[in-house]
Amino acid sequence: MRSPHSPLAYRSRHSSTTLPRMFVRGGRRRILCLVLILGLLIVPDAGYAISAASALAVQVAKDTIAPVPVALEWFKGLLRRSAKPVRQETLADRLAYVTQLQVTPRRFVGYLGQTVTFTALPLNASGQIIQGVRFDWETSNADKAVIDDAGRARLLQPGLVRLTCRAGSVRASVPLLVRPGHRPRQSDAEWQADQLGLNETTTSGANQSRTVEQVAASLLNHLSPTAQAQSGWTDDLGYDEQWNDPRNLVGSPRNRAAESTRMGTVLPEGSNFNFAAPLVSLGGRGIGANLTLYYNSRLWSRRNNNVAYNAIVGWPAPGFSLGFGRIVTYDISAGGNPTCKYMLIDPDGTRHYLGGGAWAGSGYDLGGPFETNDGSHITYTGNGSHGGYLYYPDGTSVYFSMVNNRLLPTTISDRNGNYVQVAYKPDCVQGNGGMYCEVFAPMAIDYLIDTLGRMIQFNYDTNYRLTSIIVPGYGGTGQNPVTQTIVQFDYQMVTTNGTFSGLTVERGTGGSITTLKHITFPATGTGYMPSYSIYGVVTSMSGRRQMTVGSPDGVESNNVSFTYPTAGPITDAPAFTQRTESAVNAPTATYAYSSSTNGSAQEKTFTITRPDYSTHNLIRSTNPSAIANGLLVRSEVKNSSGTLMAKSELAYVNDGGGEPQVQAVTSYDDAGTPTKVDYDYDSYGNVTNRREYGYQAGGQWQVRRRTRAVYKTDTSYVNAYLRNLIIEADVYDAQLNSNDADDVLMAKTIYAYDDYNAMGGMEEYRDAQGQLPENPPGHLSWYYASYTLRGNVTGTT
């Protein structure tokens, strides 16, 4: 009896079909070859044909003789699949996969006038995050609290409110208790007790009439006995010297003596090494979600005869910074003349003084505006008790909420209504039969939501330490999401025993610190491995490759190291005198650091001697009465014999807002011949005139070209912090003199803003019927065509 799978059986059942003999007896190879040839000649996507044909080859190999219908049906399916591309998921599709929502924070106790940011995680039935979901928020009592579509709740009247988040048909709600009056200044323990006074399932306002002290007294005794024992996070120790003493500066402060290196920036005066490792760069609608891990080695700050370790607390470890910055309050007092000072910490650790003090009538609960004093013109309109908006001159705003008793950024918005949100880990967590507080760092991020609704997840181990960051991957669906781990962290205990002579230690290392051991990028097997001194600072940063689970150290590719002290006692904050750079197949380069002071010239010089024995001198002013005090006034490069090869001199002036700016730059070449450029500024630090002198003529400076900029100063734009919009740019022949009045206009460009009628109107998120459907994720619903104050260029002449 013939096998039903034999060629003869096939032919007897289909006698009307005459096939070439090669199909009957040709076997596997001929079928596969023909399929490949047809696929390459006919199918538009040849790459897909080859991939699919490879899959067919596996199936053919399983059969003794391949039946012809397998090849024919596969080929028909191939044509069908190539003609019908996979449909992209819509917002409705993604919402349909959501089965549960997790709202952060799970409960909140706030005070009148406060604004609190709530976020949500959308999960499918398997507990996986669904990307690109839009949320709607509701309040149970709009008289007590209102909430916008970005999850920002404004507290209006005392009482208990339930806030509800909705994603499609799925809902989740959390309780919000509004207490009367302004939020008092609280210790971390009082903050925790105040928050724990409201249970997630509270249905009445029984606790709303109790004072903070009463709630604290009743709840602190009910915390787990090990709760406070687990605490490893201290409060920030803020003071003026952290932003006005050049020895304590970190990050990238404006116009300071700084040296650029291959692996970061060095501030020689404080022996600070600023290292940056980019982690996430997600473009978005208008504003991207970018994350960089920074490190600053100036961990010991100095004031008078005191030193303090990790005074501005780092995360995920001392000296490290990951996130979007924060605001630190300090020198707080009450009474008839209340005071409070504000210091902005940039993501890279740079510190800006925002202002404060009794002279401004500002207390902890009295608001700004406060503005930076270093020429950056960043404005904070909030206070220390509730939070508020931080505005940049280009209209970008950051909302700082009171989170874990800290002022932390929760929403970053652009001027077109697009926003990124930041959710943080709670300060108290339930577990093992008790409540554990201060186990997470106060600024520990839980997740980010970008303008497209994509979630960036932060994962932690059982010791509440950040272990990895996960971003959405390519492909996948709402039912089967795809993610990618972009960075991993692991930790080590470092024993410290650094001692000081003649100094008082305000805050020490406690004998040992938990800090990063590896920073690994698993997709490439590359990363970094830091080493530490006995004073708890990084002495070397090693770039690595071939980092795997079995070999986490990998192999070194490059390294930068510093000669921090290896023994004590020392009489000042730890400092280095050498920097050494090395790399595979490259010579080792050593840079030496020294300094000197010229009292008569009121200058301090920092000299970096390079491997070729040339020197780079950075000179700052020490004149306390000069605008340039503490700022870089000269930079010089000399060859090994001491001959000047290049020099730049900087002069300073206060702009119209009273903040220091570079007034003139005079540059010298190796022959000592100077050229010059100078600047004028408006009250917001914008350059209004740029004059180029070129070389001197007859020993005199004569302007050759002047570039003039005019800015939009309409009151509505200024009040919206849109303060650097150029409406006219002119280029003049300056007639080789210093008189602006006789300059001859050579070119002009005029910019129009927000004239959407001239463009045929503004495009909206409307459907074919002209209705306004649900907004996309990461976009404020009230930014429709009727909101035209945006600062967008709509015309150029």
Side-chain angles (χ1 to χ4, degrees):
M1 181 178 294
R2 299 184 182 94
S3 166
H5 299 292
S6 70
L8 293 180
Y10 172 81
R11 189 174 185 181
S12 66
R13 293 197 306 270
H14 304 272
S15 57
S16 61
T17 303
T18 302
L19 297 174
R21 186 176 180 83
M22 62 173 289
F23 280 102
V24 179
R25 295 179 180 240
R28 300 184 300 271
R29 186 177 303 170
R30 292 170 181 163
I31 294 175
L32 181 57
C33 289
L34 180 61
V35 169
L36 282 171
I37 293 170
L38 290 174
L40 290 171
L41 291 175
I42 300 173
V43 181
D45 188 350
Y48 178 77
I50 293 173
S51 175
S54 299
L56 174 63
V58 175
Q59 177 63 39
V60 170
K62 296 179 181 178
D63 298 328
T64 305
I65 300 176
V68 173
V70 173
L72 294 179
E73 289 303 315
W74 168 83
F75 188 69
K76 293 177 182 178
L78 178 60
L79 291 176
R80 287 194 299 267
R81 284 192 294 269
S82 63
K84 294 182 179 179
V86 177
R87 184 178 65 87
Q88 184 176 358
E89 285 185 338
T90 65
L91 176 60
D93 294 332
R94 296 191 293 272
L95 287 172
Y97 286 120
V98 178
T99 61
Q100 54 182 314
L101 294 171
Q102 292 182 0
V103 179
T104 301
R106 298 172 70 93
R107 59 173 176 267
F108 195 85
V109 175
Y111 291 80
L112 291 182
Q114 195 170 352
T115 297
V116 184
T117 301
F118 290 82
T119 58
L121 273 180
L123 306 174
N124 64 14
S126 301
Q128 298 168 301
I129 294 177
I130 305 300
Q131 307 291 342
V133 172
R134 166 79 185 185
F135 303 111
D136 290 302
W137 295 89
E138 302 168 357
T139 176
S140 64
N141 190 327
D143 292 331
K144 294 185 173 71
V146 293
I147 187 167
D148 66 12
D149 48 2
R152 291 177 295 199
R154 186 157 54 93
L155 284 52
L156 304 175
Q157 295 293 334
L160 184 67
V161 183
R162 293 202 71 86
L163 302 176
T164 300
C165 178
R166 180 170 58 84
S169 60
V170 179
R171 297 170 177 261
S173 64
V174 293
L176 168 66
L177 179 61
V178 184
R179 292 188 183 277
H182 288 284
R183 190 182 80 87
R185 186 187 178 197
Q186 297 174 322
S187 67
D188 285 350
E190 290 172 332
W191 162 273
Q192 293 153 10
D194 197 10
Q195 297 301 312
L196 292 173
L198 176 63
N199 189 278
E200 294 177 36
T201 58
T202 297
T203 56
S204 67
N207 286 324
Q208 69 186 53
S209 62
R210 303 170 67 190
T211 66
V212 176
E213 291 76 13
Q214 290 172 330
V215 174
S218 63
L219 287 173
L220 284 178
N221 294 329
H222 292 83
L223 293 177
S224 167
T226 59
Q228 297 302 316
Q230 297 231 2
S231 172
W233 299 97
T234 56
D235 201 356
D236 295 305
L237 183 62
Y239 40 83
D240 288 342
E241 288 83 353
Q242 289 169 343
W243 57 266
N244 68 14
D245 188 337
R247 296 176 298 177
N248 292 328
L249 298 182
V250 298
S252 53
R254 299 181 87 242
N255 303 321
R256 300 288 183 165
E259 176 200 18
S260 296
T261 74
R262 290 183 179 89
M263 292 186 70
T265 301
V266 169
L267 297 172
E269 184 156 8
S271 286
N272 182 72
F273 168 55
N274 178 257
F275 165 78
L279 305 180
V280 177
S281 181
L282 284 180
R285 186 195 309 106
I287 183 171
N290 301 313
L291 275 177
T292 298
L293 176 69
Y294 293 97
Y295 178 78
N296 287 286
S297 62
R298 178 76 184 193
L299 270 162
W300 291 89
S301 54
R302 175 86 183 266
R303 61 170 167 172
N304 301 322
N305 286 325
N306 300 328
V307 290
Y309 181 77
N310 200 25
I312 302 299
V313 180
W315 176 76
F320 287 93
S321 175
L322 177 59
F324 298 90
R326 52 204 180 93
I327 292 176
V328 173
T329 56
Y330 64 101
D331 285 358
I332 302 169
S333 65
N337 200 23
T339 63
C340 179
K341 293 181 178 180
Y342 299 86
M343 182 164 54
L344 170 65
I345 312 297
D346 281 346
D348 69 351
T350 306
R351 299 158 186 166
H352 307 263
Y353 181 59
L354 283 166
W359 58 267
S362 58
Y364 186 64
D365 60 351
L366 300 178
F370 305 106
E371 190 169 320
T372 54
N373 65 350
D374 58 3
S376 55
H377 287 276
I378 304 169
T379 305
Y380 178 56
T381 61
N383 58 22
S385 61
H386 294 168
Y389 283 96
L390 185 83
Y391 290 98
Y392 291 86
D394 66 351
T396 299
S397 66
V398 182
Y399 191 80
F400 283 79
S401 298
M402 188 56 64
V403 179
N404 298 334
N405 207 26
R406 307 291 194 278
L407 284 173
L408 301 178
T410 54
T411 307
I412 300 97
S413 306
D414 72 2
R415 57 200 190 196
N416 282 296
N418 305 303
Y419 59 86
V420 174
Q421 290 181 307
V422 190
Y424 297 89
K425 286 292 187 181
D427 50 357
C428 293
V429 295
Q430 187 81 36
N432 297 327
M435 185 68 69
Y436 295 82
C437 294
E438 297 182 342
V439 290
F440 287 109
M443 64 288 293
I445 298 175
D446 194 357
Y447 54 89
L448 306 177
I449 309 176
D450 80 345
T451 57
L452 302 182
R454 295 173 293 191
M455 304 282 182
I456 303 172
Q457 304 166 248
F458 289 64
N459 297 319
Y460 296 80
D461 62 15
T462 56
N463 292 315
Y464 309 99
R465 300 175 304 192
L466 177 66
T467 56
S468 66
I469 299 177
I470 294 176
V471 298
Y474 293 103
T477 64
Q479 188 174 7
N480 295 295
V482 174
T483 59
Q484 179 183 4
T485 300
I486 58 165
V487 64
Q488 294 173 330
F489 306 98
D490 63 280
Y491 299 81
Q492 62 184 335
M493 293 295 295
V494 174
T495 300
T496 62
N497 56 6
T499 57
F500 296 87
S501 175
L503 298 175
T504 300
V505 178
E506 286 188 89
R507 177 183 294 172
T509 60
S512 63
I513 59 171
T514 300
T515 191
L516 291 177
K517 185 176 182 180
H518 298 106
I519 305 161
T520 307
F521 304 105
T524 59
T526 59
Y528 300 95
M529 187 172 72
S531 300
Y532 300 85
S533 78
I534 60 172
Y535 287 90
V537 301
V538 167
T539 59
S540 71
M541 187 67 74
S542 175
R544 317 293 288 187
R545 66 184 188 279
Q546 299 177 22
M547 301 176 76
T548 63
V549 175
S551 179
D553 288 354
V555 179
E556 184 171 89
S557 296
N558 52 66
N559 183 291
V560 59
S561 61
F562 302 87
T563 56
Y564 281 107
T566 57
I570 56 178
T571 59
D572 203 345
F576 55 79
T577 57
Q578 284 187 353
R579 178 181 95 249
T580 301
E581 296 178 352
S582 62
V584 176
N585 299 324
T588 299
T590 299
Y591 300 76
Y593 294 83
S594 61
S595 64
S596 61
T597 301
N598 187 330
S600 59
Q602 294 183 301
E603 293 178 344
K604 188 168 185 177
T605 299
F606 304 95
T607 300
I608 301 106
T609 303
R610 298 169 169 177
D612 62 356
Y613 299 103
S614 65
T615 58
H616 183 194
N617 297 321
L618 301 169
I619 300 96
R620 76 162 178 88
S621 170
T622 60
N623 183 354
S625 62
I627 296 173
N629 184 38
L631 304 179
L632 180 71
V633 294
R634 191 162 66 258
S635 175
E636 301 173 341
V637 175
K638 297 181 178 180
N639 64 17
S640 58
S641 62
T643 302
L644 184 69
M645 303 301 294
K647 180 173 70 171
S648 294
E649 294 178 340
L650 289 81
Y652 292 86
V653 67
N654 281 331
D655 61 25
E659 299 187 21
Q661 307 286 355
V662 174
Q663 187 271 330
V665 179
T666 305
S667 302
Y668 298 80
D669 59 20
D670 56 352
T673 308
T675 60
K676 181 182 176 182
V677 179
D678 68 20
Y679 306 90
D680 296 337
Y681 298 87
D682 65 11
S683 58
Y684 303 113
N686 299 309
V687 175
T688 56
N689 281 294
R690 181 178 187 267
R691 300 179 184 85
E692 300 171 67
Y693 294 81
Y695 295 107
Q696 289 180 330
Q700 301 295 318
W701 291 116
Q702 297 178 348
V703 186
R704 297 174 181 272
R705 177 168 57 189
R706 179 168 65 95
T707 304
R708 172 177 173 262
V710 181
Y711 298 84
K712 198 168 186 61
T713 57
D714 306 49
T715 301
S716 58
Y717 282 84
V718 170
N719 291 342
Y721 297 92
L722 294 167
R723 299 175 174 180
N724 65 357
L725 304 178
I726 296 178
I727 60 174
E728 182 178 331
D730 303 328
V731 179
Y732 292 90
D733 180 344
Q735 300 293 295
L736 293 177
N737 61 44
S738 57
N739 180 17
D740 291 348
D742 66 354
D743 292 352
V744 177
L745 182 66
M746 305 299 294
K748 173 185 289 191
T749 304
I750 298 174
Y751 300 93
Y753 291 88
D754 297 331
D755 184 7
Y756 301 103
N757 291 331
M759 303 177 67
M762 186 189 300
E763 182 179 358
E764 289 191 303
Y765 293 102
R766 295 181 183 269
D767 58 21
Q769 287 72 42
Q771 299 299 313
L772 286 170
E774 290 182 300
N775 252 19
H779 185 75
L780 294 170
S781 62
W782 48 274
Y783 269 77
Y784 289 140
S786 58
Y787 187 87
T788 58
L789 189 67
R790 298 171 180 248
N792 295 324
V793 175
T794 53
T796 303
T797 305

